[in-house]
Amino acid sequence: RQVMVESVVLALAGGAAGVLLAYWMGDLILSILPSDPSAQGITAQPDMRVLLFSLAVSLISGILFGLAPAFQTTRLNLSTMLKEQAANVMGGRSHMRLRRGLVVAQVALSLLLLIAAGLFTYGLRNIEKIPAGFRTDHLLTFSVQPRLSGYSDDKLRAFYSQLRDNLAAIPGVQDVAASRVALLSGDNDQAGIDVPGYTPNEGQSMSPAENFVTDGYFGMLSLPLLTGREFTPQDNAKAPSVAVVNEAFAKRFFPNASTASVPGRTFRLAAGVIAGGKPGEKKEFQIVGVVRNSKTINIRADSAASMYFPYLQDPSDGMTFYLRTTRDATSISADLRAHVAALDPDLPVNDIKTLDLQIDETLFVERLVSALSTAFGVLATLLAAVGLYGVMAYLVVRRTREIGIRMALGATPGQVQHLVMREVVLLAGIGMILALLSWFPVGGLIQNQMGDQLLSITGWNP
């Protein structure tokens, strides 16, 4: 009973210390993560569920790990113990196997966590190095939704045109363009198409990504035009319906044609998708240009087949504006708010941020996994070090008489240290080997859980 009480008290003290540490460190953990709407519902402050869980784990741990030494104290063989002490041996080597085994398990588990943390961090670094396909630096974005304020199509066109001209006049702004679907925000609009002469394979999607953009959009992004032309102000509601597609679109739907021959070809789109179209009607669009592939949905996703339309032919929704600047992009925020307010003081300006920050926000999950796995790996390593120290300190105390006799017979302090460190290296080495052998099935399980979202970026196959 005495041993069990001591074990439970120690476990409860450790659980209480853990809750206090979590309370103090919670805000610090969240502060290192990027600001993202996904993080708004995340809290690191312990609540009643966490307290009850910690209490339960502490009690169960104290009872389970106190049972073995408790039962052991009731089964002491005094005769054998006296003989062992008289012989100055280690004092019952067999009962130390459990302690050594637990230390080996701690080392193995902590190393597994560190390997996983390293893999996640490496994958995150690789994702951050993936080129977007266009210039993301010195690019400030924001969005407006005039349609929610009752703007008609004609008023929308006039508002967007005037706002674009006013923003271009801000000192330090090189170029201004806009798109309906925000770049690298995780959003993705699609529309079904028919391509004359193209027969899709069974189950193949015929719904490429679509976006409505202003003239000069591709030039502002430094997204190369491979052939044909960009949109112009003349591509308005009265002009023929036109589109610009990317390489992936051209290669998928015109596999036997060269890129240079794609401009002039046509495809049909459900007219109900375009403003003024009748449900069920098919509307034909002529391709006027082909641009290089780029990331559109997020930095991880492959470049999908994409088609772009001039927003003047369908100004039905809000737009996200992009300002290419020569000075600090965030310093222009006040100016752009003033220009929007000058045109409509009741119109809110949303999501003012740099595109680099936008990319960081789309990597929130990866950053969260990397940060937490690293924290858990470091904590587990500290616990393994404490466990290893505890077992070795206990061993040294039990071998005090043996060590004294060895030194009396001529052993040097260095030889005694070697005797102890050999055991440390042996336990740590066995734990490392077990961790490396266990990583292959564990790594495969992690990859199955995470999918191709992160681990495949590392180029490592468990």
Side-chain angles (χ1 to χ4, degrees):
R1 185 170 61 246
Q2 179 181 348
V3 174
M4 286 295 297
V5 169
E6 181 179 357
S7 176
V8 171
V9 169
L10 289 175
L12 290 176
V19 171
L20 288 175
L21 183 63
Y23 182 81
W24 292 333
M25 299 292 289
D27 292 336
L28 177 61
I29 293 176
L30 293 182
S31 67
I32 66 176
L33 299 174
S35 175
D36 185 84
S38 304
Q40 293 179 359
I42 296 178
T43 176
Q45 296 302 322
D47 56 12
M48 186 56 63
R49 293 171 298 174
V50 175
L51 294 176
L52 292 176
F53 175 80
S54 302
L55 176 62
V57 170
S58 300
L59 285 174
I60 293 173
S61 299
I63 293 173
L64 288 180
F65 291 95
L67 282 175
F71 284 133
Q72 188 178 36
T73 57
T74 62
R75 298 177 181 178
L76 288 178
N77 189 327
L78 297 180
S79 176
T80 302
M81 182 175 240
L82 289 174
K83 291 179 180 179
E84 289 175 343
Q85 289 295 326
N88 292 318
V89 296
M90 290 184 63
R93 183 179 292 270
S94 60
H95 80 281
M96 291 299 299
R97 292 174 183 170
L98 177 60
R99 292 182 174 88
R100 290 191 178 95
L102 292 175
V103 169
V104 168
Q106 275 190 313
V107 173
L109 291 175
S110 63
L111 184 57
L112 279 175
L113 285 174
L114 286 176
I115 294 174
L119 182 61
F120 290 139
T121 303
Y122 179 66
L124 177 62
R125 295 293 179 267
N126 283 351
I127 292 176
E128 292 174 337
K129 295 178 181 178
I130 295 176
F134 55 89
R135 283 184 58 198
T136 61
D137 60 290
H138 294 85
L139 205 58
L140 184 66
T141 79
F142 72 93
S143 62
V144 290
Q145 296 283 344
R147 177 67 73 181
L148 300 180
S149 298
Y151 279 58
S152 64
D153 285 354
D154 290 339
K155 190 176 180 181
L156 276 175
R157 293 186 182 95
F159 174 82
Y160 287 143
S161 177
Q162 184 63 54
L163 178 58
R164 186 180 177 190
D165 291 341
N166 292 350
L167 293 175
I170 297 176
V173 174
Q174 283 184 322
D175 202 358
V176 181
S179 67
R180 178 178 300 176
V181 181
L183 278 169
L184 305 176
S185 63
D187 295 334
N188 181 34
D189 285 354
Q190 294 178 309
I193 64 171
D194 290 329
V195 180
Y198 179 81
T199 302
N201 298 324
E202 184 178 356
Q204 184 180 20
S205 173
M206 291 292 291
S207 299
E210 67 167 357
N211 202 351
F212 292 80
V213 303
T214 62
D215 57 278
Y217 175 78
F218 305 109
M220 183 273 304
L221 293 178
S222 296
L223 183 59
L225 188 70
L226 301 180
T227 185
R229 67 172 178 86
E230 279 201 59
F231 298 131
T232 67
Q234 286 69 44
D235 294 316
N236 52 38
K238 298 179 180 180
S241 299
V242 294
V244 171
V245 301
N246 67 348
E247 289 179 277
F249 184 104
K251 291 180 180 179
R252 177 176 172 183
F253 296 109
F254 307 105
N256 298 321
S258 63
T259 302
S261 66
V262 172
R265 294 176 181 261
T266 62
F267 63 87
R268 291 188 296 270
L269 183 70
V273 178
I274 303 297
K278 298 179 180 180
E281 180 186 355
K282 295 287 185 179
K283 190 172 184 179
E284 188 171 76
F285 289 80
Q286 184 180 57
I287 299 173
V288 296
V290 180
V291 295
R292 191 176 67 185
N293 289 337
S294 65
K295 305 292 184 178
T296 54
I297 303 174
N298 56 57
I299 204 68
R300 300 178 301 270
D302 294 332
S303 299
S306 302
M307 49 191 180
Y308 302 88
F309 305 101
Y311 91 100
L312 289 175
Q313 296 184 351
D314 184 14
S316 58
D317 290 320
M319 298 286 280
T320 297
F321 279 79
Y322 301 91
L323 285 69
R324 178 75 66 187
T325 67
T326 57
R327 59 189 176 98
D328 182 25
T330 55
S331 65
I332 303 177
S333 300
D335 293 334
L336 69 86
R337 285 184 181 275
H339 281 293
V340 174
L343 295 176
D344 188 344
D346 298 324
L347 186 64
V349 179
N350 305 313
D351 301 324
I352 300 179
K353 66 185 73 171
T354 64
L355 193 60
D356 288 332
L357 178 58
Q358 175 72 61
I359 295 174
D360 286 342
E361 290 179 354
T362 62
L363 300 179
F364 173 77
V365 174
E366 287 82 354
R367 293 184 184 278
L368 180 64
V369 171
S370 177
L372 291 181
S373 60
T374 300
F376 292 149
V378 171
L379 287 175
T381 302
L382 290 176
L383 288 175
V386 171
L388 184 59
Y389 168 78
V391 169
M392 294 311 303
Y394 182 69
L395 279 175
V396 170
V397 169
R398 292 185 62 85
R399 300 181 67 175
T400 300
R401 298 179 66 184
E402 175 194 346
I403 292 172
I405 292 175
R406 288 179 179 271
M407 296 188 70
L409 294 176
T412 64
Q415 291 174 326
V416 174
Q417 292 173 3
H418 174 76
L419 181 68
V420 176
M421 292 304 299
R422 182 175 61 187
E423 182 102 15
V424 174
V425 173
L426 178 63
L427 294 178
I430 294 175
M432 291 178 182
I433 293 173
L434 290 178
L436 293 175
L437 293 177
S438 302
W439 174 250
F440 291 96
V442 173
L445 178 62
I446 293 176
Q447 189 167 22
N448 290 334
Q449 293 296 321
M450 294 296 293
D452 295 332
Q453 185 180 38
L454 176 61
L455 292 182
S456 62
I457 304 296
T458 65
W460 184 84
N461 186 351

